[in-house]
Amino acid sequence: MRRILTLAGIGVAALLGLLWLSGGVDSLARAAAEAQRALQAPLAGAVRAVQAGQPAAWAGLMVICFGYGVVHAAGPGHGKFVIGGYGLARRVPLLRLGTVALAASLAQAGVAVALVYAGVLALGWTRERMVGLAEGALAAASWGVIVVLGLWLVWRGLRRALQQARARTADAGHGLHHHGHHHHDHDHDYEHDHGPDCGCGHSHGPSVAEVAGLTGWRDTLALIGSVAIRPCSGALFLLILTFQMGIGAAGVAGAFAIGLGVAVVTIGVASLAVWSREGVLAGLGEARVWKVLPVIEIAGGAMIAALAIGMLLGA
Amino acid sequence: MHLAWAMAGLVALAGPAAAHPHIFMETEIEVLRDAEGRAAALRVTWTYDPFFSLVLITERGLDPDGDGTLTAAETAALQGFDMNWEPGFPGDTYAFAGAQAVALSGPRDGVARYEGGRIISSHIRDLVVPVSGLLVVKNYDPTYYTEYTIRAVRAEGCATEIIAPDLTEAERALQAALAELPADVDVEMGFPEVGAVFAQEVRVTCAAS
């Protein structure tokens, strides 16, 4: 059953590819923009209701902010791009990638709160200035981190491919089936960095957890940082507006509600990415996975870097 | 430091591929004709979305009682709030005589009001060369930070039409533009401004008088 589910990922991958090619992604983005447009009036109404002290106004604002986050994230954006791209490129377990997606969205809300309150309280900045910073330098920084992350994936993929090539040479005299040596007591929570004599290039069917343990704190930081560093304009608008209305707490809570809404979408994207990747890998058969992993990583990393460089150059 | 500024500037231009709109406008275009019946000017009326209207009104300290209407003094204070265009800002409105771009003057006669919780702001742009025959008008933000939807066209004595963008065609144009990007992307050229191909198109044909 589990295997069937995993293999269904091939279908998911095919569907996603088809959606992309047919311009469905663009239609989705437009539908998301439509939904967001429809939310602008209720959002304004909910903020007014909180200011007027109406009962249940807070709950209403939180619900609308959450929805705003969902539809906002459903449009094109850097968060989904980097989380999804990473999930395709690297064999990271879903739970971990999902947690990173959630942390990134909440950290993004935190950055928005920090920017607005530092801006209005300490620096006396206008809304234009704060939004300009978010859409300018911070957006650039975000794409910059994504470029580095992409290149980092390429580099690691290359290194792993090299290691495998060397290992195959070193292994040439052995049979294919010597499993039991030193694979079981590694601490896989850090960078998988075997020497060339490790012999891990052969087909011993590593579990997802074993391989995925390679995801280190640097990746986690880069993923969260690249998303968080660029606050969403909608959250900035809400925070500045509520501060000026004297209902700042509602705005801060609303910003985090938007973050949770965004997280729902990025976690969804993470799931699709992991499912597609695992499906394709399962279809290939575990024996070939070892060989394919560095290739996926190099290709995925190169794509992430290329697109992010394009955005950065403004591109 | 220069690099940081350069990067910031570039990304400000970047938008389209990763951008999603944050501000939503509804547009009405009115074509003003000269004595010879040619299209001479455009009156562009923008209705801001309720949330951004609230942001703009609140940061100016207007409508403190939140009833969605302004006093005469407050309305006076609102005038010209969106008319301080940086030099060279095209104002998100573009005009064409057939396929030929027609330059537009800067904005004049800006008027703004606040109604039912929405700011409605209009201004006039003169067509530098009056147009007889087919006039095409588009209203879009190349960076797609603001989404414009043209709701109405008025042109007395003229045939008018609002054409929705051909999304399949727009998608093709986007792919083509992306494919044409050289490996060493010219920084000045920048990312193809594809906002235009996703924009609605207003077609106005006035009978000569």
Side-chain angles (χ1 to χ4, degrees):
Chain A
M1 186 61 208
R2 192 183 161 85
R3 178 158 173 82
I4 293 172
L5 256 181
T6 308
L7 280 171
I10 300 175
V12 174
L15 276 177
L16 288 176
L18 207 67
L19 191 70
W20 179 270
L21 288 176
S22 67
V25 173
D26 186 61
S27 308
L28 188 69
R30 291 194 79 86
E34 277 307 306
Q36 197 189 333
R37 189 221 317 266
L39 273 178
Q40 299 291 96
L43 186 56
V47 170
R48 280 220 174 86
V50 171
Q51 189 192 24
Q54 289 172 16
W58 265 70
L61 180 62
M62 293 311 116
V63 169
I64 291 169
C65 284
F66 179 80
Y68 183 94
V70 172
V71 298
H72 194 68
H78 66 307
K80 275 192 325 294
F81 168 67
V82 67
I83 300 273
Y86 188 88
L88 285 177
R90 204 137 167 83
R91 208 166 191 196
V92 54
L94 177 55
L95 185 63
R96 182 170 223 155
L97 191 59
T99 309
V100 166
L102 177 64
S105 301
L106 293 179
Q108 190 184 27
V111 168
V113 172
L115 173 64
V116 166
Y117 280 86
V120 293
L121 295 179
L123 303 168
W125 282 11
T126 61
R127 169 181 58 80
E128 274 99 348
R129 185 131 183 221
M130 286 184 247
V131 172
L133 180 69
E135 297 292 322
L138 295 184
S142 165
W143 286 114
V145 174
I146 296 173
V147 171
V148 172
L149 185 70
L151 295 177
W152 171 239
L153 286 171
V154 171
W155 184 74
R156 252 185 338 202
L158 283 173
R159 204 179 55 176
R160 202 121 63 89
L162 263 176
Q163 277 172 6
Q164 285 185 13
R166 281 198 222 125
R168 263 196 297 280
T169 320
D171 258 9
H174 303 253
L176 271 175
H177 292 288
H178 60 159
H179 281 243
H181 56 174
H182 53 162
H183 276 286
H184 299 290
D185 37 16
H186 287 300
D187 175 6
H188 283 286
D189 263 333
Y190 54 81
E191 182 66 23
H192 195 97
D193 211 348
H194 298 291
D197 56 344
C198 134
C200 49
H202 63 192
S203 53
H204 67 301
S207 72
V208 173
E210 271 180 326
V211 191
L214 311 186
T215 310
W217 59 271
R218 278 172 293 204
D219 292 45
T220 308
L221 267 188
L223 281 171
I224 295 179
S226 67
V227 175
I229 200 171
R230 178 188 190 178
C232 137
S233 284
L236 296 181
F237 289 168
L238 178 70
L239 285 161
I240 296 166
L241 174 66
T242 50
F243 169 78
Q244 287 163 342
M245 288 181 144
I247 49 169
V252 172
F256 280 96
I258 292 176
L260 281 178
V262 170
V264 167
V265 175
T266 45
I267 289 171
V269 168
S271 311
L272 290 176
V274 169
W275 195 7
S276 305
R277 185 203 58 215
E278 286 306 311
V280 171
L281 290 182
L284 284 171
E286 286 291 343
R288 267 174 254 163
V289 164
W290 266 115
K291 279 189 207 157
V292 172
L293 277 180
V295 178
I296 302 184
E297 193 168 2
I298 294 166
M303 255 178 58
I304 291 173
L307 224 148
I309 288 172
M311 292 307 299
L312 195 55
L313 284 182
Chain B
M1 199 58 208
H2 285 296
L3 186 67
W5 283 114
M7 271 172 35
L10 289 169
V11 170
L13 294 172
H20 36 212
H22 295 85
I23 299 169
F24 298 84
M25 306 275 242
E26 293 181 356
T27 304
E28 185 183 316
I29 303 282
E30 185 185 358
V31 178
L32 306 174
R33 301 167 71 189
D34 63 12
E36 285 127 80
R38 298 174 302 180
L42 303 173
R43 190 197 311 274
V44 180
T45 305
W46 288 326
T47 303
Y48 287 70
D49 73 66
F51 183 63
F52 196 61
S53 294
L54 185 60
V55 169
L56 289 169
I57 288 292
T58 305
E59 73 186 1
R60 283 168 177 75
L62 306 173
D63 192 27
D65 60 0
D67 68 351
T69 53
L70 301 184
T71 64
E74 287 175 331
T75 299
L78 184 64
Q79 298 311 307
F81 81 97
D82 58 353
M83 291 290 106
N84 297 318
W85 296 6
E86 300 202 348
F89 174 57
D92 293 345
T93 303
Y94 303 86
F96 306 84
Q100 184 74 39
V102 178
L104 294 168
S105 69
R108 63 176 170 89
D109 300 343
V111 185
R113 63 183 199 275
Y114 187 50
E115 223 175 72
R118 304 185 74 169
I119 294 178
I120 302 168
S121 161
S122 74
H123 60 272
I124 292 177
R125 309 281 304 272
D126 292 309
L127 293 160
V128 169
V129 181
V131 175
S132 47
L134 175 64
L135 170 71
V136 176
V137 181
K138 293 183 177 189
N139 186 207
Y140 64 88
D141 171 5
T143 69
Y144 200 39
Y145 190 80
T146 303
E147 185 186 82
Y148 294 92
T149 308
I150 298 175
R151 294 289 186 209
V153 185
R154 286 199 289 153
E156 226 164 293
C158 308
T160 65
E161 196 180 1
I162 302 173
I163 297 175
D166 179 346
L167 287 185
T168 329
E169 182 56 39
E171 187 68 18
R172 262 200 294 279
L174 174 61
Q175 301 288 359
L178 287 173
E180 276 170 19
L181 272 187
D184 53 336
V185 178
D186 181 351
V187 163
E188 289 298 316
M189 274 177 44
F191 197 84
E193 292 207 332
V194 293
V197 290
F198 289 97
Q200 293 166 295
E201 190 174 295
V202 166
R203 289 170 162 264
V204 179
T205 315
C206 301
S209 59

